[in-house]
Amino acid sequence: MSEAAGQQAQETRFPAFVRGPAEAVGSLIMSVGGGLTEFGRLCLFLRETVVRLVRPPYYPDVIMYQMYQVGVKSLIIAVLAGSFVGGIFAIQINDQLLDFGAQAFLGGIAVSVTVREVGPIMIALLIAGRIGAFTAAELGTMNVTEQIDAIRCLGTDPIKYLVVPRFLACIVMSFVLTVVGIVIGIFGSVLVAWAIADVHPLFFSGRILDMVTAFDFINGLWKSFFFGILIATVCCFYGFNTRGGAEDVGRNVNTTVVVTGISLLATDYFLAVLSQWFMQTLIAFGLMN
């Protein structure tokens, strides 16, 4: 039976109102299965990277170069983004608080939001957009031009030489850039509140210590480690597994940006829930007010 005849027989056997939803459900199941398979391969790639992280040989010069690429070259972007985001928060929150006569809480709310949530996720998205896409394109190009195979033929482990330095650089520099972004964001809030909203810095900072605790800083900074691991793993994984030609490199870079962005936001949500549960536990045991 030809393919056309088989399709016609199937259309006769299953009416359109049954075949359409069935095909949609089948496509959804296959998409979920493919996503789970991809997630499993990503976890295996992360495991291989962590195993090689603790084994010699080490490449300190390559690690330092990657830290320069990730950290120093992203510093200007982090400073600019932190300044503007801090200023935006100061203006927006001030307008809301003025309606309730609660302008005294401006500094506390702006700093709390910047430290706990906005600072870490903002810096992570910037690193993912700049370094993540570049890493996926670089490794993907090396793969399709068989440079990675050449490294393997020379007796060098490509994951150890190419992935581990980028992995370490993303983790360390994500933390450093998050600290810089948070500090600049707070200064941006203070300056904009003073210059535009006419809120004196002393008045701005009056309630910060009442609303921001050391736990808030820890909660914001520990996220940067997870974000760094996530960015490095996803970007190196897609770059390392690129096959085909230039078109596939571009497609994988696009996939990398999308997957990294969604993964960062989802991870941020779960980390926020986890930290909230942890804080409530500390309060329940009397270890925190």
Side-chain angles (χ1 to χ4, degrees), residues 115-235:
V115 168
R116 290 173 62 95
E117 296 297 335
V118 178
I121 191 65
M122 175 192 67
I123 295 299
L125 290 172
L126 287 175
I127 294 176
R130 182 184 175 275
I131 298 300
F134 175 77
T135 299
E138 185 182 27
L139 293 181
T141 303
M142 292 180 70
N143 206 8
V144 299
T145 55
E146 300 181 350
Q147 294 180 56
I148 293 180
D149 291 335
I151 292 174
R152 192 177 286 111
C153 289
L154 292 173
T156 302
D157 185 347
I159 293 182
K160 181 73 183 178
Y161 185 73
L162 296 174
V163 177
V164 169
R166 289 167 172 79
F167 187 77
L168 285 174
C170 275
I171 295 173
V172 175
M173 288 304 156
S174 176
F175 175 80
V176 174
L177 291 174
T178 298
V179 173
V180 173
I182 288 175
V183 172
I184 296 298
I186 293 173
F187 273 108
S189 298
V190 174
L191 291 177
V192 171
W194 192 12
I196 297 180
D198 198 23
V199 178
H200 194 274
L202 292 178
F203 186 76
F204 181 92
S205 60
R207 305 299 296 270
I208 290 179
L209 293 179
D210 297 332
M211 302 181 66
V212 183
T213 64
F215 181 81
D216 295 324
F217 282 94
I218 296 172
N219 180 50
L221 294 178
W222 82 306
K223 290 181 179 179
S224 63
F225 287 104
F226 289 94
F227 292 158
I229 292 172
L230 180 63
I231 294 169
T233 304
V234 172
C235 299

Side-chain angles (χ1 to χ4, degrees), residues 16-48:
F17 69 90
V18 174
R19 193 171 61 252
E23 290 177 353
V25 172
S27 299
L28 178 62
I29 292 174
M30 291 186 66
S31 299
V32 172
L36 291 175
T37 303
E38 200 78 354
F39 180 72
R41 293 178 60 208
L42 189 68
C43 292
L44 290 175
F45 184 79
L46 174 61
R47 185 182 68 85
E48 291 180 8

Side-chain angles (χ1 to χ4, degrees), residues 15 17 25 43 56 62 69 92-93 95 101 116 130 140-141 144-145 164-166 193 223 240 251 253 262 264 285 287:
F17 69 90
V25 172
C43 292
V62 181
Q69 290 288 336
Q92 294 295 330
I93 297 174
D95 289 341
R116 290 173 62 95
R130 182 184 175 275
T141 303
V144 299
T145 55
V164 169
R166 289 167 172 79
K223 290 181 179 179
F240 209 77
R251 187 182 300 112
V253 170
I262 294 175
L264 283 173
F285 282 94
L287 299 175

